[in-house]
């Protein structure tokens, strides 16, 4: 017998319209799972963590594979846009570079040809690499249901590991990002066990930008993964960094604060203490780099 048995049997259906999705979600309920690239889903099914009888492929729905940028309203990325599409889009590299950089850290090239932004968001893993970048660009989940469309800030979308605010009759259509603040700079730094595509032990994204209304003259947004039940921002640290002109000492203190706020749990990849220290070190490193590029 195989140590890891193959996939359980399932029926594969390709949705042609939103109505197909609503009808099937209503009819089949928990026996149906929505599918994009399948890179999370198939692993969970192989490991028997998920056993849906039906996979409903929603990649072909209108707009799901589109990237739409408008100067006034910002960026809308269809849920089925792959991570390779994101990491290689020249326009995005210029306007939302932290998203492209984060996409490039996920798994390997072959995986990123299938793995999607929507799947990364809906899987609701605390270690999702797209999450810190999506948080610093203040991403919103665009959700579609028979009642119409609604948008939900990502911070409210993730409820815990594997758990989201999606209603039973809803699906993720796109992720929307407002225009980044003028002059914004930033980056995503991921610590994994290897460079060959491992989940994050800690990941930190920082976006900094000029803001004359605060004593520091700068503002920073900081997003983290892997060190709490959901990806998160640290508003207390962000606020602390606005109070006076920035110095290396203040950045070190911000790193200590981030470490205190984080609440990792020990897992196969790292101890709690190591993760906490890495939150501090990575936060300090990305803040310094971002500060440098703003000066
Ligand atoms: C070898 C390997 C390496 C990996 N490395 C990384 C890594 O470095 N970093 C990282 O973050 N992740 C990693 N992953 C996880 C995975 O590849 C990503 O999370 C990926 O982005 C998931 O996208 P997908 O399109 O394959 O999602 P899917 O597997 O299709 O779906 C993921 C979840 O979202 C739900 N879903 C899908 N579409 C919708 C929708 N439209 N509306 C609502 N719910 C929906 C599904 O039902 C499922 O629960 C790795 C996976 C593997 C197998």
């Amino acid at each position: 017998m195989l140590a890891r048995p193959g996939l359980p049997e399932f029926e594969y259906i390709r949705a042609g319209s939103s109505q197909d999705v609503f009808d099937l979600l209503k009819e089949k309920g928990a026996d149906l799972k929505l599918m994009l690239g399948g890179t999370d889903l198939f692993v969970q099914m192989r490991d028997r963590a998920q056993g849906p009888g039906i996979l409903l492929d929603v990649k072909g729905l209108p707009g799901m594979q589109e990237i739409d940028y408008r100067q006034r309203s910002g960026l809308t990325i269809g849920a089925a846009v792959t991570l390779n599409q994101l990491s290689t889009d020249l326009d995005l590299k210029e306007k939302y570079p932290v998203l492209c950089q984060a996409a490039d850290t996920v798994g390997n090239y072959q995986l990123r040809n299938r793995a999607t932004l929507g799947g990364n968001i809906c899987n609701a893993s605390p270690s999702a690499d797209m999450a810190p970048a999506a948080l610093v660009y203040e991403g919103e989940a665009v959700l579609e249901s028979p009642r119409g469309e609604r948008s939900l800030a990502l911070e409210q979308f993730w409820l815990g590991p594997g758990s989201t605010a999606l209603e039973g009759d809803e699906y993720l259509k796109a992720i929307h990002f407002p225009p980044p603040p003028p002059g914004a700079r930033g980056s995503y730094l991921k610590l994994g066990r290897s460079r060959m595509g491992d989940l994050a032990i800690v990941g930190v994204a920082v976006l900094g930008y000029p803001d004359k209304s605060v004593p520091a003259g700068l503002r920073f947004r900081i997003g983290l993964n892997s060190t709490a039940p959901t990806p998160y921002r640290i508003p207390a640290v962000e606020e602390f960094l606005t109070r006076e002109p920035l110095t290396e000492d203040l950045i070190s203190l911000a790193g200590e604060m981030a470490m205190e706020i984080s609440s990792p749990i020990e897992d196969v990849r790292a101890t709690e203490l190591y993760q906490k220290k890495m939150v501090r070190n990575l936060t300090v490193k990305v803040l310094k780099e971002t500060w440098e590029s703003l000066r």
Side-chain angles (χ1 to χ4, degrees):
M1 197 167 126
L2 291 170
R4 282 194 187 282
L7 289 175
E9 278 199 15
F10 61 89
E11 187 184 346
Y12 172 85
I13 303 176
R14 201 181 273 245
S17 66
S18 300
Q19 198 55 49
D20 285 352
V21 182
F22 304 147
D23 291 347
L24 281 161
L25 280 173
K26 193 170 174 193
E27 191 186 326
K28 306 293 180 186
D31 194 35
L32 178 143
K33 287 292 279 184
L34 300 176
M35 176 190 147
L36 287 165
T39 62
D40 274 316
L41 213 44
F42 285 136
V43 173
Q44 290 159 9
M45 287 168 69
R46 180 202 63 187
D47 294 347
R48 301 301 193 264
Q50 298 276 1
I54 301 165
L55 289 188
L56 181 60
D57 188 335
V58 290
K59 281 196 292 291
L61 295 182
M64 290 287 261
Q65 300 185 25
E66 281 168 22
I67 300 177
D68 180 45
Y69 172 73
R70 291 160 202 239
Q71 206 173 349
R72 275 168 171 259
S73 55
L75 173 70
T76 302
I77 302 178
V81 168
T82 68
L83 300 181
N84 269 349
Q85 270 175 278
L86 283 188
S87 69
T88 55
D89 189 299
L90 294 181
D91 231 21
L92 286 197
K93 273 190 182 176
E94 193 196 317
K95 298 184 177 91
Y96 296 82
V98 190
L99 276 181
C100 303
Q101 207 187 351
D104 213 27
T105 71
V106 174
N108 52 49
Y109 185 86
Q110 288 84 348
L111 182 97
R112 294 194 294 272
N113 262 347
R114 284 206 65 87
T116 64
L117 176 62
N120 199 260
I121 299 293
C122 288
N123 194 52
S125 164
S127 62
D129 276 309
M130 296 312 296
L135 283 173
V136 299
Y137 285 118
E138 305 198 317
E140 293 175 348
V142 183
L143 309 174
E144 185 88 349
S145 79
R147 297 173 297 291
E149 193 179 290
R150 68 171 177 137
S151 291
L152 198 60
L154 287 175
E155 277 146 310
Q156 282 142 37
F157 181 73
W158 294 304
L159 302 180
S163 168
T164 69
L166 270 171
E167 301 284 347
D169 58 356
E170 267 180 331
Y171 70 91
L172 178 78
K173 186 175 159 187
I175 300 93
H176 177 74
F177 301 94
R185 299 269 186 283
S187 64
Y188 175 62
L189 189 60
K190 169 180 178 177
L191 174 70
R193 285 175 304 183
S194 81
R195 284 175 189 273
M196 296 301 290
D198 192 19
L199 296 179
I201 292 172
V202 175
V204 181
V206 168
L207 193 76
Y209 54 97
D211 182 349
K212 290 204 173 82
S213 73
V214 292
L218 296 171
R219 264 187 202 277
F220 293 91
R221 300 177 190 161
I222 308 168
L224 294 102
N225 63 16
S226 282
T227 46
T230 61
Y232 59 108
R233 275 187 53 190
I234 40 177
V237 184
E238 295 175 4
E239 196 276 325
F240 169 76
L241 289 167
T242 63
R243 288 186 202 163
E244 51 187 295
L246 210 53
T247 60
E248 297 228 348
D249 284 350
L250 285 174
I251 289 183
S252 299
L253 276 173
E256 297 286 335
M257 286 173 76
M259 177 172 78
E260 288 308 316
I261 293 167
S262 66
S263 57
I265 47 170
E266 180 159 341
D267 62 15
V268 288
R269 291 191 294 279
T271 62
E272 182 188 337
L273 181 64
Y274 180 68
Q275 286 182 86
K276 272 189 148 322
K277 289 191 170 178
M278 290 304 112
V279 165
R280 180 192 61 198
N281 294 1
L282 266 64
T283 302
V284 167
K285 190 166 192 302
V286 197
L287 276 172
K288 275 189 185 163
E289 281 172 12
T290 307
W291 184 35
E292 275 301 313
S293 69
L294 284 166
R295 283 202 283 185

